[in-house]
Amino acid sequence: MTRNTRLSARYWSWVKRLGKKKALVALGHTLLRIVYHLLLHRRPYQELGPDYLDRHCAERQLRKQSQWIKQLEESGFSVTKLA
């Protein structure tokens, strides 16, 4: 298995929680989903990197915070961001 890839990072995180056999099944499921989307959209595979999930979660958290701030301000609250 190749290191420094998104799939490798996912596999090793699953091994810690699930064990090797279940991690392999989960990895197989992920591969099937990737292949399906590649064929559906007729695109080549693009490696996202081993830190993809960390970056994705951080970006999603920032978007959620922005939405919460906007909702509070629309409700009449004054919001101040702390550093």
Side-chain angles (χ1 to χ4, degrees):
M1 181 174 289
T2 304
R3 297 287 178 154
N4 296 326
T5 63
R6 174 183 150 214
L7 293 173
S8 176
R10 290 296 289 165
Y11 171 75
W12 290 109
S13 70
W14 283 328
V15 166
K16 292 177 192 174
R17 290 184 294 130
L18 305 174
K20 287 187 178 183
K21 288 182 180 181
K22 288 184 181 180
L24 284 173
V25 172
L27 184 65
H29 181 256
T30 300
L31 285 170
L32 285 174
R33 291 176 55 199
I34 289 171
V35 170
Y36 171 78
H37 285 283
L38 292 177
L39 294 173
L40 180 68
H41 299 293
R42 297 178 186 222
R43 294 184 186 160
Y45 178 70
Q46 180 180 2
E47 176 56 43
L48 301 174
D51 61 341
Y52 168 74
L53 291 173
D54 296 333
R55 287 183 286 127
H56 179 71
C57 290
E59 291 170 3
R60 190 168 69 200
Q61 185 65 25
L62 287 175
R63 282 194 304 270
K64 282 183 181 180
Q65 288 176 359
S66 297
Q67 290 172 350
W68 294 335
I69 290 171
K70 184 178 177 183
Q71 287 177 350
L72 285 170
E73 288 174 341
E74 288 175 351
S75 297
F77 291 94
S78 176
V79 179
T80 305
K81 294 183 188 179
L82 301 176

